[in-house]
Amino acid sequence: MPGAQDALSLGSQSPPRTQDAPRAQDAPDAIYLNVCTVKGNAGALKLLRTASERFPGTPLFITGCAPKDFREEVVKVTDKVVFTSLEEITASADVTKQGAATESTLNPLRESPFTGIVNIEEGCLDACAFCSTHLVKGRLKSYAPEGIVEQVKRLVADGCTEIQLTGQDCACYGFDIGTNLATLTQSILVHVPGNYKIRLGMGNPRHVCGYTGALLECFQDNRVYKFMHVPVQSGSDRILKAMNRRHTASEFRRLASEFNKRFPLATLSTDLIVGFPGETESDFRETLRLLEETRPTVCNITRFVARPGTAAARMEADAGLRIPDSVKHERSARLAEAFQKIARENNALWVGKTCDVVVEKPGHRAGTSIARNEAYRPVALAGDIPAGTKLQVRITDAEAFALVATTEK
């Protein structure tokens, strides 16, 4: 999944307790691990060990991006794992007379009682040299827009205030069935009334460039978070070509410029890889320059890790192309320093403004909560505020990774 964070979600019918020795009645019926291994297997394996040790008798299911090397490591941890797919997990018991679940009977996933996750497609239309996801997920398969709209209706009717449209590459949604992400989003907005917001998932720049105007029109509706995640990965066209990314730095630059100009307080999110095989100091400086010119507020910075079976792994095997770890660390530190300065400056534009937010979850610090504003910026609030609570707040301070606010009386 290009641009995916190094994450793994733990889902169950009841949440695990925080105590070291949970009571038997608190054990979930099943645990589903939705893995992303784009940055390596360590994070996913760590959570797998935690889940299997904490609930030794509970069935474990793994879905997401699980390439061959990850599966081989999983069975060394535990043999009590079933590898499954999102379609199998979400298929409801309400099946057709022929015994097959249809797209209209799929059960949408829930991140929380207030956040619904709707998978709009599987696979992609690219073969990025560093990515193993396409080896697992294959070519693009878009789900029918009618089924997606129905899922959103059900989620909103059941109290969801946030709908996340997700997929390996949401930007190429519909290319195989004669539609696109902008048309799908407008269809949802037309056919699903209610007080909710849509968060659009990650999409590769080359696909977004084909219908930029139509997509930007979607953000005019207040029910769409002004948040766009388009991973560029490098500012060097030479490295982009080696990555087989099939877009140029200039194309990303134009896309970012249009989005930032039309929505000055919106959130542009991107991903950057440093230390790709063959990357020179000049290539890196082009990446740094692109970051400074496009000014994203969210940026996932990754030091290159070779994934087995990929073209980039074969490049990494060439000593003449391999970038030393010390250089990768030095470049990622420089990039992170520049990015955090930009993010603080972007967030500072919100200071003094009043905005509506929805509380998402408890904060990292005890006695705080995290909410989201219209641009999907995290907003830190004092107090243990229940998730789903809607508030009007005033932004009082800005950090690189969050806004700080007080509630309006």
Side-chain angles (χ1 to χ4, degrees):
M1 193 185 314
Q5 295 184 12
D6 189 14
L8 183 147
S9 300
L10 172 62
S12 64
Q13 293 186 11
S14 58
R17 292 169 58 85
T18 55
Q19 289 88 343
D20 291 335
R23 298 194 307 267
Q25 62 265 37
D26 292 316
D29 296 329
I31 296 173
Y32 294 91
L33 304 179
N34 183 26
V35 304
C36 173
T37 58
V38 71
K39 292 187 181 179
N41 299 335
L45 291 170
K46 180 180 179 181
L47 194 51
L48 172 63
R49 291 189 186 94
T50 300
S52 61
E53 291 170 3
R54 198 162 186 181
F55 301 105
T58 301
L60 278 165
F61 297 85
I62 289 181
T63 186
C65 181
K68 181 175 180 291
D69 67 301
F70 174 71
R71 292 175 180 244
E72 291 171 348
E73 292 190 60
V74 164
V75 297
K76 295 177 184 177
V77 176
T78 176
D79 59 358
K80 295 180 173 60
V81 168
V82 175
F83 289 92
T84 184
S85 69
L86 185 63
E87 288 178 280
E88 290 172 342
I89 291 173
T90 57
S92 71
D94 179 21
V95 297
T96 64
K97 292 181 180 179
Q98 288 74 30
T102 65
E103 287 181 10
S104 62
T105 65
L106 290 180
N107 256 337
L109 300 178
R110 302 289 281 268
E111 184 173 283
S112 76
F114 306 99
T115 303
I117 301 173
V118 179
N119 194 49
I120 64 173
E121 58 88 26
E122 295 274 353
C124 68
L125 292 175
D126 292 278
C128 301
F130 54 80
C131 181
S132 60
T133 302
H134 71 275
L135 303 176
V136 179
K137 296 294 185 179
R139 296 288 287 177
L140 172 69
K141 178 192 173 185
S142 301
Y143 295 115
E146 297 83 4
I148 294 169
V149 169
E150 180 60 30
Q151 290 185 65
V152 175
K153 280 183 181 177
R154 289 162 55 190
L155 287 166
V156 171
D158 198 35
C160 282
T161 56
E162 179 179 315
I163 304 297
Q164 298 181 1
L165 302 184
T166 65
Q168 275 66 61
D169 184 354
C170 291
C172 64
Y173 167 79
F175 287 10
D176 55 335
I177 57 174
T179 186
N180 61 44
L181 180 62
T183 301
L184 172 67
T185 303
Q186 292 290 7
S187 181
I188 294 171
L189 295 171
V190 168
H191 293 102
V192 186
N195 187 10
Y196 64 92
K197 286 188 181 294
I198 297 171
R199 192 199 73 177
L200 301 181
M202 182 275 292
N204 277 314
R206 78 181 187 96
H207 302 308
V208 177
C209 288
Y211 56 96
T212 302
L215 188 62
L216 293 184
E217 280 300 311
C218 295
F219 293 108
Q220 296 284 8
D221 194 301
N222 289 331
R223 290 173 294 170
V224 179
Y225 280 116
K226 291 176 178 58
F227 170 90
M228 186 164 62
H229 182 188
V230 278
V232 63
Q233 304 298 7
S234 176
S236 163
D237 284 341
R238 191 182 72 84
I239 294 298
L240 287 172
K241 185 176 181 180
M243 290 177 169
N244 198 28
R245 287 293 283 162
R246 300 169 70 185
H247 64 260
T248 65
S250 293
E251 287 172 332
F252 175 79
R253 210 175 259 109
R254 286 194 296 271
L255 176 60
S257 176
E258 288 185 54
F259 184 60
N260 290 334
K261 182 177 181 180
R262 194 157 176 180
F263 305 104
L265 292 175
T267 300
L268 175 67
S269 173
T270 195
D271 301 0
L272 293 168
I273 295 174
V274 297
F276 189 83
E279 181 187 67
T280 64
E281 175 64 21
S282 177
D283 293 321
F284 171 74
R285 285 199 299 269
E286 289 186 51
T287 297
L288 187 58
R289 183 163 58 251
L290 183 69
L291 174 78
E292 293 169 342
E293 291 174 356
T294 57
R295 300 184 62 79
T297 302
V298 178
C299 186
N300 303 310
I301 299 170
T302 303
R303 292 187 293 273
F304 173 76
V305 175
R307 305 301 294 139
T310 63
R314 293 189 289 275
M315 298 179 201
E316 180 81 344
D318 183 338
L321 296 176
R322 190 183 311 125
I323 307 301
D325 286 345
S326 59
V327 175
K328 293 179 185 178
H329 282 274
E330 186 266 340
R331 288 176 182 171
S332 66
R334 287 162 60 190
L335 207 56
E337 181 181 11
F339 160 67
Q340 289 180 35
K341 178 177 182 293
I342 291 167
R344 278 192 295 270
E345 291 171 351
N346 288 350
N347 281 335
L349 297 175
W350 283 90
V351 174
K353 297 185 181 297
T354 298
C355 58
D356 296 323
V357 301
V358 179
V359 177
E360 180 183 65
K361 60 185 178 182
H364 293 296
R365 303 185 187 109
T368 64
S369 301
I370 298 296
R372 295 281 181 174
N373 71 357
E374 65 190 60
Y376 207 66
R377 304 273 175 98
V379 180
L381 300 166
D384 294 314
I385 307 171
T389 303
K390 297 178 180 180
L391 299 167
Q392 188 174 77
V393 303
R394 180 174 292 277
I395 307 300
T396 58
D397 199 3
E399 300 174 357
F401 300 103
L403 304 172
V404 180
T406 57
T407 56
E408 289 286 88
K409 302 297 184 183

